[in-house]
C-alpha cells in the first residue's frame, strides 16, 4: 500500500524503521507470525489499518511482514489478514485428516479449557453458573407456542460452547473471511447462534447447531462470550429436519436479487459520501471517477465494482417510468409474469451494462446529456419501454399468467390469445437471450455502417440517434410478427420443454432446430428486418 511517509524516508531511515518494527514484533511477521530474518527474508512495511479506512500514515500504524505474506494477504487490514492466516493454518492442519474446520475446531484453537453449565430449571426460569462458579445467573424460559420447544437467551462464555456436527455437519465455508471483515468493522451480529442442552443431570455443554459461521468469525476476532438462544431438551430429529428443509425445499435466502441490487446501490452512495469526506471535497463534487473510488478503498475493488453496477441496475428497475416492471417477477416463484428478474439480469443487464469501471469523472458531459452511465441507464430503460409497448402492454394478460400454458395447448386448448402466447414464448430465457442480443447487433451495425468504430461493450453508453430506435422498433415488430410464436403445432416439439441457448441460436441462424426440425421459413436477416 502506498505511503507518503515511507516514500520520503532515506534508505538509512527506512532500514532503522524496519529494525525498530522487527524488535517490537520480536522478529515475527505480523501476518503469518513466522520468523523474519531482515538480511535474508524479503519484507515489507505496511499500514496495519489501511489509509482508506482512516489509518494514520505514521509509525504508530506500521507493521513488518514477509513480502510474500503481504502480497498474498487475504485482507487489506493487516490485523484481519493475521486472523485469516491463523485460520488458513488450521485448515491446512486438518486437511491432513481429509476434513475442513468447523466451529468446534475454531473453539479448540482459541479457547484454553472446556466448562459446563451447572443449572437448575424451576418453572419458567433457569438458574445457572459456569462450571460451579460463584456467580449465579437467573433467566426466563420461553415456550414456543407452535413447536412447544422451550428455550432461553444468554450471553455465554466460549468455554461452555461445543459444535454439534450431527445436526450441522457442514464445515466452515470460504465466506468466513468476509464475515471476519464485517465484524471487524464493528457491524453488529444480526442472527444469534442456536444451541441446545439436556436438562437431565443439571450439567451440559451448549451444543451449537446453527449460526456457526457468524460465531466462528467472532471467536476468531477474540470475543470472550457470545449471545446464544439455547433450546432445552429439544427433539433432535425435528431440529435436523428443520435445518435440512431450510437449505433444500424451503430454499431460504436472505434477499432476492432485486433487493441485493438496491442494497448495492445504497452502498455505492455510501462509498461516494465517504470518499468526499475522506478527501475533503464538497458534497456536490462529482469530479472524480469510479476508478478513483476503487483506488481509494483499497482491498474493495470487487465490492466497489459490484456497487457501481448495482447502482445502474437499481436505477433502471426503480425508475417510475419503467413499464416493463409490471411484467417482471422479482421473487422468482410466481406464475403471473412472463419475465423473471434473473432473466433480466442475464440478458438486459449482462448485454448492455458496461461491466468495467470507468476512468471518466462522474459528472463527465453531464450537462450535455452525454454522461456514459446516465446515457446507459436511460437507453436500457428506453429499450425496456419499447419492448413493453410492442410485446407486453395490453397484450400479455397477467391474470392468465404463465402456468402450464404449453401443457394446456398440448391437451387441445386453443383459447389462449395469440398476443398472450407470443409474449409468453418470446420471454423464455433461452429465447430472449438470443433475440435480445440481435437488438444490440442492430444498434451496433448502425454505427459500423457509418464508418465508426464498433462501440463494443460500451454500446449503450453511446447516445442513439433517432434512426437507431426506429431500426430497433422495426426489428422487434417483425420478430414478434413471425408465425412461430403462435404456432400451436410446435408446442411439443419446440416449446414443450426448456431448451438451451444454442438450440435457439440454431433456430434463428438456420431456420431449423439442431435436430433439423423446420421452425422458421428462413433464417433471420437483420438488414431485411429493419427495412
Amino acid at each position: 500500500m502506498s505511503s507518503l511517509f515511507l516514500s520520503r524516508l532515506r534508505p538509512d531511515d527506512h532500514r532503522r524503521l524496519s529494525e525498530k518494527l522487527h524488535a517490537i514484533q520480536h522478529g515475527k511477521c505480523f501476518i503469518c507470525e513466522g520468523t523474519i530474518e531482515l538480511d535474508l527474508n524479503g519484507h515489507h512495511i505496511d499500514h496495519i489499518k489501511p489509509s482508506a479506512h482512516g489509518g494514520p500514515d505514521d509509525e504508530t500504524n506500521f507493521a513488518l511482514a514477509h513480502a510474500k505474506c503481504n502480497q498474498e494477504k487475504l485482507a487489506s487490514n493487516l490485523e484481519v489478514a493475521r486472523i485469516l492466516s491463523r485460520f488458513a493454518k488450521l485448515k491446512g492442519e486438518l486437511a491432513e485428516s481429509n476434513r475442513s474446520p468447523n466451529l468446534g475446531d475454531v473453539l479448540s484453537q482459541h479457547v484454553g479449557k472446556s466448562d459446563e453449565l451447572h443449572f437448575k430449571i424451576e418453572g419458567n426460569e433457569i438458574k445457572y453458573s459456569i462450571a460451579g462458579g460463584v456467580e449465579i445467573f437467573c433467566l426466563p424460559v420461553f415456550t414456543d407456542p407452535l413447536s412447544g420447544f422451550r428455550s432461553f437467551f444468554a450471553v455465554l462464555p466460549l468455554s461452555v460452547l461445543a459444535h454439534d456436527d450431527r445436526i450441522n455437519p457442514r464445515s466452515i465455508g470460504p465466506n468466513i473471511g468476509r464475515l471476519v471483515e464485517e465484524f471487524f468493522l464493528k457491524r453488529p451480529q444480526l442472527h444469534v447462534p442456536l444451541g441446545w442442552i439436556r436438562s437431565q443431570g443439571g450439567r451440559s455443554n451448549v451444543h451449537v447447531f446453527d449460526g456457526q459461521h457468524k460465531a466462528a468469525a467472532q471467536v476468531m476476532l477474540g470475543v470472550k462470550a457470545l449471545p446464544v438462544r439455547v433450546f432445552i431438551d429439544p427433539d433432535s430429529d425435528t431440529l435436523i429436519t428443520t435445518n435440512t428443509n431450510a437449505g433444500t425445499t424451503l430454499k431460504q435466502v436472505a434477499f432476492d436479487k432485486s433487493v441485493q441490487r438496491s442494497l448495492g446501490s445504497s452502498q455505492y452512495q455510501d462509498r461516494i459520501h465517504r470518499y468526499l469526506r475522506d478527501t475533503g471535497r464538497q458534497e456536490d463534487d462529482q469530479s472524480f471517477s469510479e476508478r478513483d473510488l476503487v483506488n481509494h478503498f483499497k482491498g474493495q475493488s470487487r465490492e466497489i465494482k459490484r456497487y457501481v453496477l448495482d447502482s445502474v441496475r437499481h436505477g433502471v428497475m426503480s425508475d417510475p417510468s419503467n413499464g416493463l416492471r409490471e411484467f417482471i417477477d422479482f421473487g422468482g416463484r410466481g406464475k403471473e409474469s412472463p419475465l423473471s428478474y434473473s432473466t433480466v439480469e442475464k440478458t438486459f443487464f449482462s448485454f448492455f451494462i458496461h461491466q468495467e469501471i470507468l476512468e471518466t469523472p462522474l459528472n463527465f458531459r453531464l450537462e450535455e446529456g452525454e454522461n456514459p452511465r446516465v446515457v446507459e441507464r436511460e437507453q436500457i430503460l428506453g429499450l425496456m419501454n419499447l419492448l413493453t409497448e410492442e410485446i407486453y402492454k395490453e397484450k400479455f394478460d397477467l391474470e392468465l399468467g404463465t402456468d402450464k400454458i404449453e401443457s394446456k395447448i398440448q391437451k387441445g386448448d386453443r383459447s389462449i390469445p395469440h398476443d398472450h402466447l407470443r409474449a409468453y414464448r418470446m420471454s423464455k430465457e433461452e429465447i430472449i437471450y438470443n433475440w435480445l442480443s440481435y437488438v444490440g447487433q442492430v444498434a451496433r451495425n448502425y454505427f459500423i455502417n457509418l464508418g465508426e468504430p464498433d462501440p463494443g461493450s460500451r454500446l449503450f453508453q453511446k447516445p442513439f440517434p433517432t434512426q437507431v430506435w426506429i431500426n430497433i422498433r422495426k426489428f422487434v415488430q417483425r420478430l414478434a410478427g413471425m408465425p412461430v410464436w403462435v404456432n400451436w403445432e410446435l408446442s411439443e416439439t419446440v416449446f414443450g420443454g426448456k431448451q438451451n441457448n444454442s438450440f435457439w441460436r440454431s433456430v434463428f441462424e438456420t431456420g431449423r432446430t439442431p435436430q433439423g426440425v423446420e421452425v422458421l421459413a428462413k433464417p433471420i436477416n437483420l438488414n431485411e428486418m429493419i427495412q
Side-chain angles (χ1 to χ4, degrees):
M1 182 179 295
S2 61
S3 165
L4 186 61
F5 179 93
L6 293 176
S7 66
R8 290 174 174 174
L9 291 180
R10 293 177 299 179
D12 287 346
D13 292 330
H14 197 283
R15 171 73 182 185
R16 278 191 286 271
L17 178 57
S18 296
E19 291 172 346
K20 180 179 179 180
L21 294 173
H22 189 263
I24 292 172
Q25 296 171 205
H26 304 288
K28 304 295 185 183
C29 169
F30 191 90
I31 297 173
C32 78
E33 300 170 287
T35 300
I36 291 181
E37 292 284 348
L38 290 179
D39 295 325
L40 299 177
N41 298 126
H43 53 274
H44 286 169
I45 297 175
D46 202 351
H47 295 104
I48 297 173
K49 182 178 182 180
S51 299
H53 293 169
D57 189 24
D58 60 38
E59 289 188 22
T60 64
N61 188 40
F62 288 136
L64 193 69
H66 290 122
K68 189 173 187 293
C69 292
N70 198 45
Q71 290 165 348
E72 298 177 355
K73 63 181 182 283
L74 299 174
S76 59
N77 187 294
L78 291 194
E79 290 180 305
V80 174
R82 179 166 56 189
I83 290 168
L84 296 182
S85 176
R86 290 171 181 167
F87 180 74
K89 288 179 184 176
L90 174 63
K91 192 172 182 179
E93 292 168 2
L94 294 175
E96 297 178 5
S97 304
N98 198 29
R99 70 181 189 87
S100 297
N102 58 30
L103 176 60
D105 299 307
V106 174
L107 288 168
S108 296
Q109 186 185 49
H110 290 81
V111 181
K113 61 176 182 175
S114 177
D115 294 327
E116 291 182 324
L117 286 185
H118 292 199
F119 58 89
K120 184 193 307 184
I121 300 170
E122 297 177 340
N124 292 327
E125 285 187 340
I126 181 170
K127 294 180 179 179
Y128 70 88
S129 66
I130 307 301
V134 174
E135 188 172 7
I136 296 177
F137 302 88
C138 183
L139 294 172
V141 172
F142 303 94
T143 302
D144 178 64
L146 295 179
S147 68
F149 283 8
R150 295 182 299 163
S151 64
F152 63 95
F153 294 82
V155 178
L156 299 172
L158 301 183
S159 60
V160 304
L161 302 182
H163 176 67
D164 187 327
D165 57 7
R166 177 171 178 254
I167 297 178
N168 186 355
R170 293 187 305 153
S171 58
I172 294 174
N175 66 334
I176 189 67
R178 293 185 179 182
L179 281 172
V180 170
E181 290 185 280
E182 185 80 354
F183 290 132
F184 184 82
L185 294 172
K186 313 219 179 283
R187 290 166 185 158
Q189 177 185 6
L190 300 180
H191 179 279
V192 300
L194 306 179
W196 61 265
I197 59 172
R198 292 281 176 237
S199 62
Q200 186 176 3
R203 296 185 181 186
S204 178
N205 290 122
V206 174
H207 303 272
V208 176
F209 64 88
D210 188 69
Q212 73 157 330
H213 282 73
K214 294 181 178 68
Q218 293 172 87
V219 172
M220 290 159 66
L221 283 165
V223 301
K224 303 303 181 186
L226 285 175
V228 186
R229 180 186 183 189
V230 185
F231 290 88
I232 302 170
D233 297 324
D235 178 65
S236 59
D237 289 335
T238 299
L239 293 182
I240 291 172
T241 300
T242 303
N243 201 35
T244 301
N245 289 346
T248 55
T249 56
L250 296 180
K251 299 190 187 315
Q252 291 180 345
V253 205
F255 308 109
D256 64 47
K257 284 288 186 181
S258 64
V259 176
Q260 291 180 34
R261 301 316 180 200
S262 175
L263 292 173
S265 179
S266 298
Q267 292 280 25
Y268 178 52
Q269 295 303 318
D270 173 70
R271 292 305 187 279
I272 288 177
H273 292 315
R274 285 169 55 183
Y275 178 83
L276 293 174
R277 184 184 66 243
D278 292 349
T279 57
R281 297 170 181 252
Q282 297 296 317
E283 287 187 0
D284 58 351
D285 187 347
Q286 291 190 323
S287 62
F288 56 94
S289 67
E290 295 168 1
R291 174 61 59 192
D292 291 330
L293 290 177
V294 169
N295 292 339
H296 181 73
F297 294 101
K298 299 291 186 182
Q300 298 184 40
S301 57
R302 285 184 298 181
E303 289 84 353
I304 298 297
K305 179 179 178 180
R306 177 166 61 82
Y307 297 159
V308 169
L309 300 182
D310 282 352
S311 180
V312 180
R313 296 175 181 123
H314 181 64
V316 172
M317 296 313 303
S318 64
D319 194 300
S321 69
N322 189 333
L324 194 62
R325 279 182 57 91
E326 183 182 359
F327 302 96
I328 297 173
D329 173 24
F330 290 87
R333 293 173 292 276
K335 297 179 180 179
E336 296 80 27
S337 305
L339 290 164
S340 70
Y341 185 81
S342 175
T343 295
V344 171
E345 285 214 334
K346 293 175 184 176
T347 55
F348 290 90
F349 295 160
S350 177
F351 293 164
F352 304 138
I353 295 178
H354 180 59
Q355 303 293 312
E356 300 303 322
I357 292 296
L358 299 185
E359 309 281 351
T360 52
L362 300 188
N363 60 1
F364 177 74
R365 299 192 67 80
L366 195 61
E367 294 184 359
E368 296 86 345
E370 295 179 3
N371 180 269
R373 288 299 184 194
V374 173
V375 170
E376 181 177 63
R377 183 175 66 246
E378 290 180 348
Q379 294 195 150
I380 294 174
L381 181 63
L383 175 61
M384 287 182 166
N385 284 331
L386 184 154
L387 298 181
T388 302
E389 294 171 10
E390 297 297 335
I391 300 174
Y392 301 104
K393 189 175 182 181
E394 298 178 357
K395 297 178 176 65
F396 185 88
D397 185 350
L398 290 167
E399 291 187 6
L400 180 57
T402 64
D403 190 30
K404 299 179 181 178
I405 284 183
E406 299 297 345
S407 177
K408 293 174 182 176
I409 293 173
Q410 292 164 25
K411 292 177 181 178
D413 187 345
R414 297 295 186 266
S415 65
I416 300 169
H418 278 190
D419 283 345
H420 183 90
L421 181 61
R422 179 184 297 109
Y424 165 70
R425 286 177 166 175
M426 290 182 71
S427 300
K428 288 190 172 185
E429 184 173 294
E430 64 272 20
I431 297 178
I432 193 173
Y433 185 93
N434 280 275
W435 68 256
L436 198 58
S437 69
Y438 292 146
V439 168
Q441 194 172 334
V442 166
R444 190 173 290 108
N445 287 349
Y446 174 85
F447 297 108
I448 293 174
N449 290 335
L450 290 179
E452 298 184 19
D454 185 344
S457 64
R458 295 176 181 265
L459 175 63
F460 270 65
Q461 293 185 352
K462 187 177 180 68
F464 290 176
T466 301
Q467 188 59 50
V468 172
W469 290 111
I470 292 173
N471 291 350
I472 291 174
R473 189 176 293 274
K474 285 182 178 179
F475 170 79
V476 173
Q477 288 174 340
R478 289 182 174 140
L479 181 75
M482 289 180 170
V484 61
W485 311 120
V486 294
N487 188 327
W488 308 109
E489 307 305 320
L490 295 177
S491 182
E492 285 192 40
T493 57
V494 175
F495 296 107
K498 181 174 175 61
Q499 309 292 351
N500 56 33
N501 294 337
S502 61
F503 177 95
W504 279 95
R505 183 167 62 248
S506 174
V507 169
F508 289 136
E509 290 178 356
T510 69
R512 296 180 175 84
T513 69
Q515 294 75 31
V517 177
E518 186 170 334
V519 178
L520 305 181
K522 60 179 181 178
I524 283 181
N525 183 302
L526 295 183
N527 288 333
E528 291 179 359
M529 294 184 74
I530 64 174
Q531 297 302 317

